[in-house]
Amino acid sequence: MFKRLILTDLKRIKTLFVPMLIASFFLAAIISGLSVLSGKLLYSKDKQEPVDIGIVMSADSSMSNMAYNMVSDMKSYSSYTNIIKYQDKASGIKAVESGELKALILVPDNVLSSIMNGENEPIEVYYNQDGTLTTYLLKDIFVSTSSMLGTSQAVIYAYQRMARSMEWPDEIYSAMLQEINELTINYVLNRTDIFAEIHADATGVYTPTEHYLASGILILLSLLGIIYISFIKNNNRAYIIKLKSHGIGGVKCSVSQMIAMTSGLYVIFILLYGILFIVSRLSDGLDISFTPWIFLYGLLLCLTVSLFTLAIGKLPVSQAAAGLLYLCILIALAYIGGLLVPRNLLPEFAGDISGYSPYHLLHKMLCRCLYG
Amino acid sequence: MFEIKKISKSFGRKKVLSSVSFNVEPGSCVGLLGINGSGKSTLLNILAGCIKADSGSFGFTGSGKRISFLPQDNPLIPELSAIDNIKLWHSGGNKVLTSEYAVSILEKLGVNAFLHKKVKDMSGGMRKRLSLAITMMEAPDLLLLDEPLAALDMLCKNGILSYLTEYRNSGGSIIIATHEAAALNICTTVNILRNGTMTVVQGSGSRLLEEDYMRLLLGKDI
């Protein structure tokens, strides 16, 4: 009787196979597209929007303009900010208050000469107190810039004192001073030119496309589990009673359902893997490797999804409620497991428990199987 | 003969069955009457082995050992066909439909006409006939029926009742829980379940008038 029950449950799963196949191909197409675009959509440098900061200075002050050119040429500013000139302080502060600008710098007319003379005329900076990371980083950049200017100032003063103590002629002194200024500005203020840029993905060892493709496969198979809830719930009381009269209790019934669901999911997993493997061989964008472990992994994954589906399906709630609960738990587990947002970018509380999430482990294993 | 001795069952504080005893002779049909919640289905479930009694015993004396149970709702899988449903409950694969016994049952109950139809596409009468055919194909010595005529039209009821009569006349035993007066006509004995206890009314159910039936159910003497 138990064997016949398993065969019957497999027949029932077969009736769900076509809708599941259609659903999985539809989902697979969306997931594949999003995975391929993920690198460009999420973590691309092109997506970084510069921060607007304003600068107020006198239009006819050549020194101020020199200061402006100097600052706007600095790589630490130009790579991160968009400097906008403002005519007057009032309009600049209004822009900061409204959020148009993240910060406003008021440059005094005699800024450079005051630096050169050691008078250090204060440079006012107004921030938008929105408490964001951007404002925090801006403050840091301004402080760093001041330190760099201070360093260059120290070099120039040191030179000046040395020149005076050695009583150099005025012409030589002026020529050397100019050279020192240029050298200082070029080397101190553009120090970032010699930084080597190493590109590290938030997704760790795997590229965003590889990470999200694996996430997509896990989510797709999990979503298909929702269709199986009807298979679990769609047994009337008389059917269960008659099964009991034939010696088939709840446990055997559940085992039979698990076998049927796992088999159905496994077929779809193998089909999906096969298609990905073929596509990867025909295109350059993806490199899916073959390993016999994928078959064992697929079985483990499908068993996990079936177990999860069975647990939710056996709850004494309606089919619709079970489906909704399934979805909520799935999204929570997927988030904690780092499927939706890479683990490195999760909030601290989520990152701590992420390691224990079944999805995190499944994702890791799937990536190893797919990409080596 | 099938003997039921002092079966008792409680659900929590509610005593549903209290020392119920009766016998079922071969070739007889025992009708179980009672208002809703009187314990008819509980008794049948106990006899079918689906739930355990708190006390008491039951079993065949002499020959006979097979009990088949048809619950009130049809124990069918809607998304599968009649054949696939039959194959679940009976071993033998496709051969189960070719045996002489199976063929005769399917013909008599008219299931042959819709063997390949999916259960979800069948009418109530078709489903009941299919459920009964599946139950009868187990070749039972004792047939337990829980409200077999519920929600059926007159034609379907008569068809099923004539089949059950034929089964009874060929030596089979039936215990039928019912509200239907029509079903009482095939009963050789009528047992009334009231407040967990059983009153046996000897004689054929067809002799009971509807008025008597109501009086018995309400606890008044005839």
Side-chain angles (χ1 to χ4, degrees), chain B residues 23-45:
Chain B
N23 297 333
V24 186
E25 302 283 346
S28 71
C29 177
V30 174
L32 290 180
L33 285 185
I35 59 173
N36 291 338
S38 58
K40 304 187 297 296
S41 296
T42 304
L43 179 61
L44 290 180
N45 274 283

Side-chain angles (χ1 to χ4, degrees), chain B residues 171-200:
Chain B
S173 308
I174 305 173
I175 300 177
I176 178 168
T178 184
H179 289 300
E180 302 268 346
L184 292 178
N185 285 336
I186 67 164
C187 296
T188 49
T189 314
V190 172
N191 292 357
I192 312 290
L193 266 174
R194 191 172 57 235
N195 298 327
T197 57
M198 182 167 278
T199 308
V200 178

